[in-house]
Amino acid sequence: MTQRIKQKLFQPRATWQKNLIVLWFGTFMAGVGFSLVMPFMSLYIDTLGHYSSTQLNFWSGITFSSTFLVTAIISPAWGRLADQKGRKLMLLRASLGMAIVIALMGLVTSVYQLIGLRLLQGVFSGYISNATALVATGTPREKSGQVLGTLSTGAVTGNLLGPLVGGVAASLFGYRYTFFITGAILLIVFLLSLFFVHEEFTPVEKKDMIPAKQIYQELKYPHLIIGMFITTMIIQASNNSISPIISLYVRELMHHAGDVTLVSGIIASIPGIATLIAAPRFGRLGDRIGSEKILGVGLIFAMLVYLPMSLVQNVWQLGFLRFLVGISDACLLPAVQALITKYSPHDAAGRIFSYNQSFQAAGNVMGPMIGSSVSSIFGYRGVFLSTSLLILINYLSVHRNTKEIEHDYQEAPDTNH
């Protein structure tokens, strides 16, 4: 028994396995870097001027959304360059650029400067999508669900645990130093990617690139892929609709007493524990029974969890429901990524995942704007009701778009044995 364990631990690993380990850590820290500021962004904006509650909601929404607006526009261009020059180069470009820009956010003196840097941050997006494409193209297809499920726990858990790190750092060091810490984290990501990620890639001449129209025509299930892009957008809109108001909602539940920043960070981070545990398991299950089934169940569960969030009376109840959100998160984006990988060509992975990132960024734009708008009209609790409605729409869309692949699992229910 001991000998078998030693052999398993010390046996030579394939390149894709080594990349998975490094990129898991890289996407985790990139996720932390992106979400670190979530519990105090609204409070940070409040220190940059004198704003009413409505103005603060508005500027919070704009600030959260601005990065993703640029990301949605520029991602296809980066995806085409990734297919031409390689995904590792895009990892280096994204991590170093974000490290510099986010560190500069600690020096701003007005909300306009902050928004400007958030817009510039969008130019340096793409670390997680290129990590996904790099791993997806080097992983055996029969293991794609499990491997992408594992990789996605890095980004998802980083995004969810980042607010806890941010809340603690802001409480200990203040808002501005937290941006400097974030920049340092992303510089580490750059160094890890530079020295430890290996990609076997042959550069492609621009004239030899497959046109986007041809990629679409060669897809086995084109409506499925487009449907997954839209599903990604709605998932992100749902998850981020509460981003601008979570610290303000926690402050209301705490009756403006106590360490709101720290508690907001804890509440925002709780789902990460459930996601870290559940995502690889759901990925393996998706390889056996179909990722579309995991996706559908996750959406139904998410809708049932968001509804009672509008009724909570204290932060403990909110924290419990946020833990359940983590379980639903473990089902959603990993399943979408697995479906895209299984039903799209590897030689166009950079563009396919960049298109998906554009839709993901569009959802990141929509979500905070929906949250800010709804909270201004109906209050913070109305945001959770609107989020549940978005998830219902998403479920109906997924149900329609995945019907055409059901026969794949009826004909070959398990490719792993």
Side-chain angles (χ1 to χ4, degrees):
M1 179 71 174
T2 305
Q3 186 64 27
R4 285 203 304 270
I5 294 174
K6 286 182 178 179
Q7 289 176 350
K8 189 172 182 180
L9 287 175
F10 296 105
Q11 66 181 352
R13 297 181 184 273
T15 299
W16 67 266
Q17 292 173 315
K18 296 175 184 177
N19 285 341
L20 176 62
I21 294 170
V22 175
L23 290 175
W24 187 95
F25 191 56
T27 55
F28 172 78
M29 293 209 293
V32 168
F34 261 105
S35 63
L36 194 95
V37 300
M38 191 174 85
F40 67 85
M41 182 68 87
S42 300
L43 305 175
Y44 183 50
I45 293 171
D46 205 19
T47 68
L48 300 176
H50 301 285
Y51 306 108
S52 66
S53 177
T54 300
Q55 290 173 324
L56 185 57
N57 287 338
F58 172 78
W59 286 120
S60 296
I62 292 292
T63 304
F64 272 103
S65 301
S66 53
T67 295
F68 305 110
L69 177 63
V70 175
T71 299
I73 296 170
I74 204 169
S75 286
W78 289 132
R80 185 175 180 83
L81 190 60
D83 282 341
Q84 188 178 349
K85 301 294 185 182
R87 286 105 205 184
K88 180 175 178 177
L89 181 63
M90 295 298 100
L91 295 176
L92 301 179
R93 183 264 313 161
S95 53
L96 183 60
M98 286 192 299
I100 295 170
V101 170
I102 291 179
L104 290 175
M105 291 181 190
L107 303 175
V108 301
T109 57
S110 74
V111 70
Y112 303 107
Q113 294 172 355
L114 182 60
I115 291 172
L117 286 171
R118 290 282 293 178
L119 288 167
L120 187 58
Q121 184 182 344
V123 175
F124 296 106
S125 62
Y127 185 91
I128 294 171
S129 65
N130 278 286
T132 303
L134 193 152
V135 170
T137 53
T139 301
R141 281 183 184 260
E142 67 273 10
K143 295 181 178 292
S144 60
Q146 178 184 349
V147 170
L148 289 173
T150 300
L151 180 65
S152 69
T153 62
V156 173
T157 308
N159 272 303
L160 294 171
L161 293 182
L164 176 59
V165 178
V168 172
S171 295
L172 293 176
F173 308 112
Y175 302 142
R176 294 183 182 275
Y177 281 101
T178 304
F179 288 104
F180 303 147
I181 293 170
T182 306
I185 289 173
L186 290 167
L187 182 60
I188 294 172
V189 172
F190 168 77
L191 295 173
L192 284 173
S193 304
L194 177 62
F195 294 112
F196 297 107
V197 172
H198 302 284
E199 181 185 23
E200 297 177 5
F201 185 85
T202 302
V204 180
E205 293 294 331
K206 188 174 182 179
K207 60 182 176 60
D208 296 327
M209 294 285 290
I210 301 173
K213 184 178 180 180
Q214 185 178 337
I215 294 173
Y216 178 79
Q217 292 172 341
E218 292 178 357
L219 292 174
K220 185 178 181 181
Y221 299 117
H223 295 297
L224 171 69
I225 301 300
I226 301 300
M228 288 302 100
F229 293 165
I230 295 172
T231 295
T232 296
M233 180 177 68
I234 302 178
I235 288 172
Q236 289 302 108
S238 302
N239 285 343
N240 286 281
S241 63
I242 66 168
S243 295
I245 60 99
I246 190 166
S247 58
L248 304 175
Y249 189 42
V250 168
R251 185 168 67 180
E252 181 182 279
L253 291 174
M254 294 177 66
H255 307 291
H256 297 257
D259 193 337
V260 175
T261 301
L262 178 60
V263 175
S264 296
I266 294 172
I267 293 297
S269 298
I270 285 174
I273 300 170
T275 300
L276 182 62
I277 296 170
R281 290 168 171 79
F282 284 132
R284 286 195 294 270
L285 183 60
D287 285 335
R288 293 200 302 271
I289 68 172
S291 298
E292 78 283 356
K293 293 184 175 66
I294 300 297
L295 180 58
V297 171
L299 288 169
I300 292 173
F301 187 68
M303 182 173 59
L304 295 177
V305 170
Y306 273 105
L307 278 171
M309 282 190 190
S310 64
L311 304 174
V312 298
Q313 301 299 313
N314 56 60
V315 292
W316 300 106
Q317 294 170 349
L318 182 61
F320 173 71
L321 291 172
R322 291 284 294 169
F323 178 83
L324 297 183
V325 165
I327 296 177
S328 68
D329 283 337
C331 298
L332 302 181
L333 287 179
V336 170
Q337 291 168 349
L339 287 168
I340 292 174
T341 298
K342 290 175 181 177
Y343 296 103
S344 60
H346 279 185
D347 57 359
R351 275 175 287 175
I352 292 289
F353 280 101
S354 73
Y355 299 149
N356 192 57
Q357 186 184 27
S358 286
F359 279 86
Q360 185 173 345
N364 287 334
V365 173
M366 290 168 53
M369 297 307 294
I370 290 171
S372 296
S373 301
V374 171
S375 64
S376 296
I377 300 171
F378 300 105
Y380 301 137
R381 297 178 186 274
V383 176
F384 300 101
L385 298 177
S386 65
T387 299
S388 297
L389 179 60
L390 267 180
I391 296 171
L392 174 61
I393 294 170
N394 204 6
Y395 172 77
L396 296 175
S397 173
V398 166
H399 181 69
R400 185 183 71 250
N401 288 319
T402 57
K403 279 185 177 181
E404 58 186 335
I405 64 171
E406 288 180 358
H407 71 277
D408 278 13
Y409 295 99
Q410 293 170 359
E411 294 174 3
D414 191 350
T415 58
N416 293 324
H417 300 287

